[in-house]
Amino acid sequence: MGWLSWERFKCQINCHHYDDTNHNNNNKLAGCISENLFTQIADTLVERGYQRAGYDRINIDDCWSKKSRELDDGHLLPDPDRFPNGIKYLADYMHERGLKLGMYQNYGHRTCMGYPGILGHLEQDVQTFADWDVDMIKLDACFSPKTSQLDSGYMKFRKIVDKTKRPMIISCSWPYYQVFASKVHIIPKWDLISMNCNLFRVFHDITSNWKVIQKIIDFMGDNQQIFRAITGPGSWPDPDMLMIGNVGLSVAQAESQMAIWCILPAPLFMSNDPRVMEPEFEKILLNSDAISINQDVNGEPGERFFHNTTMDLWRRSLSENQMALVILNRDFNQDLQISIPLEQIESNAFQHYQHVQVLNIFSNEKYQIRRQRMADNRTETYIKVIVEPTGCVFLKLTPLKN
Ligand code: GLA
């Protein structure tokens, strides 16, 4: 869990134009890729309770380095105007506040935005990150000369990271480029990806737009057989960042993204501006029941068990025989009114219980339902909900001792 600069601050490197040191600045896009941005975000994550809630990683994305490597030995340095104290200073700044720092590189000669890539400098850059006390590396793969080399490239990268003896978690874009950016269709070797990456991007970049997010959700559901088999501690398919709090998403849509990311479960990396977050969005991001579902110790994958043009139903088994359920209204205009039989939702372990407590995660409403058995032993108990367009109802079901 954490925060990533990309979607919200992209490659904003003109710190004069995107000045955020002036607090009377009304520029909604204020903030450039700089030390100032990352220290301010760090302070905000601590002050507003995000760090306590679990969002403890701050990751610098593309556009942080100088445009070229140093002439003497080719090492990488950050842009000196935007990062006057260097990256080690930022790592220390994070560590002093109970946070962690992540860095971005790219398996190609250039990054997606044209900064120096890692090819030809694999050992050197990984060692540089380790020397700076970095805690996570996102390795992208724009302009990779041969997508067929990504298997060996990412595996080599993993080995080099391990050799530094610094525990750095690895976010890969390996399968994404094999499936979507390769001229020849490559079927990802999911077992290798899952063994070598802690999280791995599987689909196109997210934006703050519900149609884009729904496409990602559909992709995750359509390919769940692949993803469920490799989801678990240390191996998380990554549908990209949380857009909650950005212009473009309504509160209902923000709740839907949070619910699906928690039930998948997906890494929770926000890309937004927590310094100027509206309270209703902050409330969604800090919802402790949602986060505890995302972080459930069992690490079981969620499952889309119903899908049509108007509705998705997702469920996930949690520890202590609990379950999570998301009812997603896919329609843009109409409310969804539905009664779902408990039998359709529940796991086997659940069926022995007579009473179930239902917690509505976002409204915080709690109620109990009692199992009604029919003569043929079928259950005649329903969960009834009304769901607004593009919104969801996110429930936690807890069986109660009879
Ligand atoms: C790719 C990645 C994004 C971001 C940009 C940076 O598009 O998918 O997440 O890292 O590159 O240029």
mmCIF file of all heavy atoms in Angstrom, residues 6 61-62 104 112-113 138 140 177 201 205 241, ligand 1:
data_model
loop_
_atom_site.group_PDB
_atom_site.id
_atom_site.type_symbol
_atom_site.label_atom_id
_atom_site.label_comp_id
_atom_site.label_asym_id
_atom_site.label_seq_id
_atom_site.Cartn_x
_atom_site.Cartn_y
_atom_site.Cartn_z
ATOM 1 N N TRP A 6 2.763 8.721 -10.550
ATOM 2 C CA TRP A 6 2.537 8.799 -11.995
ATOM 3 C C TRP A 6 1.230 9.430 -12.465
ATOM 4 O O TRP A 6 1.246 10.472 -13.106
ATOM 5 C CB TRP A 6 2.715 7.430 -12.681
ATOM 6 C CG TRP A 6 2.441 7.592 -14.143
ATOM 7 C CD1 TRP A 6 1.373 7.134 -14.842
ATOM 8 C CD2 TRP A 6 3.221 8.352 -15.084
ATOM 9 N NE1 TRP A 6 1.438 7.546 -16.145
ATOM 10 C CE2 TRP A 6 2.557 8.298 -16.318
ATOM 11 C CE3 TRP A 6 4.405 9.092 -14.992
ATOM 12 C CZ2 TRP A 6 3.035 8.932 -17.464
ATOM 13 C CZ3 TRP A 6 4.886 9.718 -16.132
ATOM 14 C CH2 TRP A 6 4.202 9.638 -17.340
ATOM 15 N N ASP A 61 7.930 7.945 -9.672
ATOM 16 C CA ASP A 61 7.795 7.276 -10.976
ATOM 17 C C ASP A 61 8.745 7.939 -11.968
ATOM 18 O O ASP A 61 9.799 8.479 -11.583
ATOM 19 C CB ASP A 61 6.321 7.302 -11.423
ATOM 20 C CG ASP A 61 5.952 6.101 -12.293
ATOM 21 O OD1 ASP A 61 5.584 5.046 -11.736
ATOM 22 O OD2 ASP A 61 6.075 6.199 -13.529
ATOM 23 N N ASP A 62 8.397 7.923 -13.229
ATOM 24 C CA ASP A 62 9.284 8.399 -14.303
ATOM 25 C C ASP A 62 9.666 9.888 -14.112
ATOM 26 O O ASP A 62 9.018 10.602 -13.349
ATOM 27 C CB ASP A 62 8.535 8.217 -15.637
ATOM 28 C CG ASP A 62 9.482 8.028 -16.806
ATOM 29 O OD1 ASP A 62 10.689 8.272 -16.626
ATOM 30 O OD2 ASP A 62 9.007 7.648 -17.896
ATOM 31 N N TYR A 104 11.733 4.247 -9.782
ATOM 32 C CA TYR A 104 11.270 3.779 -11.088
ATOM 33 C C TYR A 104 12.450 3.622 -12.035
ATOM 34 O O TYR A 104 13.319 4.504 -12.105
ATOM 35 C CB TYR A 104 10.294 4.811 -11.645
ATOM 36 C CG TYR A 104 9.881 4.604 -13.089
ATOM 37 C CD1 TYR A 104 8.719 3.909 -13.411
ATOM 38 C CD2 TYR A 104 10.651 5.119 -14.138
ATOM 39 C CE1 TYR A 104 8.335 3.723 -14.730
ATOM 40 C CE2 TYR A 104 10.266 4.947 -15.459
ATOM 41 C CZ TYR A 104 9.114 4.245 -15.752
ATOM 42 O OH TYR A 104 8.732 4.068 -17.055
ATOM 43 N N CYS A 112 9.794 5.366 -20.525
ATOM 44 C CA CYS A 112 8.673 5.729 -21.398
ATOM 45 C C CYS A 112 8.715 7.214 -21.740
ATOM 46 O O CYS A 112 8.306 7.617 -22.822
ATOM 47 C CB CYS A 112 7.343 5.396 -20.726
ATOM 48 S SG CYS A 112 7.203 3.689 -20.221
ATOM 49 N N MET A 113 9.208 8.045 -20.819
ATOM 50 C CA MET A 113 9.259 9.485 -21.072
ATOM 51 C C MET A 113 10.633 9.946 -21.558
ATOM 52 O O MET A 113 10.925 11.144 -21.590
ATOM 53 C CB MET A 113 8.861 10.267 -19.808
ATOM 54 C CG MET A 113 7.437 10.033 -19.347
ATOM 55 S SD MET A 113 6.172 10.210 -20.643
ATOM 56 C CE MET A 113 6.273 11.958 -20.960
ATOM 57 N N LYS A 138 10.080 -0.157 -9.266
ATOM 58 C CA LYS A 138 9.147 -0.488 -10.354
ATOM 59 C C LYS A 138 9.977 -0.538 -11.622
ATOM 60 O O LYS A 138 10.635 0.450 -11.977
ATOM 61 C CB LYS A 138 8.078 0.597 -10.449
ATOM 62 C CG LYS A 138 7.192 0.523 -11.689
ATOM 63 C CD LYS A 138 6.061 1.554 -11.572
ATOM 64 C CE LYS A 138 5.306 1.749 -12.888
ATOM 65 N NZ LYS A 138 4.262 2.796 -12.763
ATOM 66 N N ASP A 140 9.672 -0.842 -15.403
ATOM 67 C CA ASP A 140 8.785 -0.743 -16.560
ATOM 68 C C ASP A 140 9.491 -1.376 -17.768
ATOM 69 O O ASP A 140 10.657 -1.801 -17.653
ATOM 70 C CB ASP A 140 8.505 0.753 -16.794
ATOM 71 C CG ASP A 140 7.145 1.007 -17.400
ATOM 72 O OD1 ASP A 140 6.552 0.069 -17.943
ATOM 73 O OD2 ASP A 140 6.690 2.171 -17.337
ATOM 74 N N TYR A 177 3.752 -5.940 -21.160
ATOM 75 C CA TYR A 177 4.420 -5.695 -22.440
ATOM 76 C C TYR A 177 4.410 -6.945 -23.316
ATOM 77 O O TYR A 177 4.392 -6.841 -24.534
ATOM 78 C CB TYR A 177 5.844 -5.152 -22.216
ATOM 79 C CG TYR A 177 5.792 -3.700 -21.767
ATOM 80 C CD1 TYR A 177 5.738 -3.376 -20.413
ATOM 81 C CD2 TYR A 177 5.733 -2.661 -22.692
ATOM 82 C CE1 TYR A 177 5.644 -2.056 -19.997
ATOM 83 C CE2 TYR A 177 5.643 -1.343 -22.288
ATOM 84 C CZ TYR A 177 5.601 -1.037 -20.935
ATOM 85 O OH TYR A 177 5.497 0.265 -20.534
ATOM 86 N N ARG A 201 2.066 -5.552 -13.274
ATOM 87 C CA ARG A 201 1.034 -4.887 -14.077
ATOM 88 C C ARG A 201 0.562 -5.818 -15.179
ATOM 89 O O ARG A 201 1.366 -6.430 -15.868
ATOM 90 C CB ARG A 201 1.610 -3.614 -14.680
ATOM 91 C CG ARG A 201 1.665 -2.419 -13.712
ATOM 92 C CD ARG A 201 0.310 -1.759 -13.552
ATOM 93 N NE ARG A 201 -0.236 -1.403 -14.845
ATOM 94 C CZ ARG A 201 0.137 -0.339 -15.549
ATOM 95 N NH1 ARG A 201 1.033 0.494 -15.054
ATOM 96 N NH2 ARG A 201 -0.399 -0.089 -16.734
ATOM 97 N N ASP A 205 -2.557 1.374 -18.862
ATOM 98 C CA ASP A 205 -2.536 2.399 -17.807
ATOM 99 C C ASP A 205 -3.952 2.851 -17.431
ATOM 100 O O ASP A 205 -4.799 3.068 -18.296
ATOM 101 C CB ASP A 205 -1.770 3.636 -18.294
ATOM 102 C CG ASP A 205 -0.267 3.387 -18.329
ATOM 103 O OD1 ASP A 205 0.166 2.257 -18.057
ATOM 104 O OD2 ASP A 205 0.469 4.349 -18.635
ATOM 105 N N MET A 241 -3.142 1.929 -10.416
ATOM 106 C CA MET A 241 -3.312 2.760 -9.210
ATOM 107 C C MET A 241 -4.771 3.093 -8.868
ATOM 108 O O MET A 241 -5.639 3.065 -9.730
ATOM 109 C CB MET A 241 -2.583 4.086 -9.446
ATOM 110 C CG MET A 241 -1.113 3.933 -9.622
ATOM 111 S SD MET A 241 -0.398 5.331 -10.520
ATOM 112 C CE MET A 241 -0.427 4.733 -12.175
HETATM 113 C C1 GLA B 1 4.101 3.463 -18.343
HETATM 114 C C2 GLA B 1 3.570 2.849 -17.044
HETATM 115 C C3 GLA B 1 3.015 3.947 -16.152
HETATM 116 C C4 GLA B 1 4.098 4.968 -15.867
HETATM 117 C C5 GLA B 1 4.642 5.530 -17.169
HETATM 118 C C6 GLA B 1 5.853 6.418 -16.938
HETATM 119 O O1 GLA B 1 3.076 3.997 -19.123
HETATM 120 O O2 GLA B 1 2.599 1.889 -17.311
HETATM 121 O O3 GLA B 1 2.549 3.381 -14.938
HETATM 122 O O4 GLA B 1 5.126 4.387 -15.104
HETATM 123 O O5 GLA B 1 5.045 4.476 -18.043
HETATM 124 O O6 GLA B 1 6.366 6.954 -18.093
#
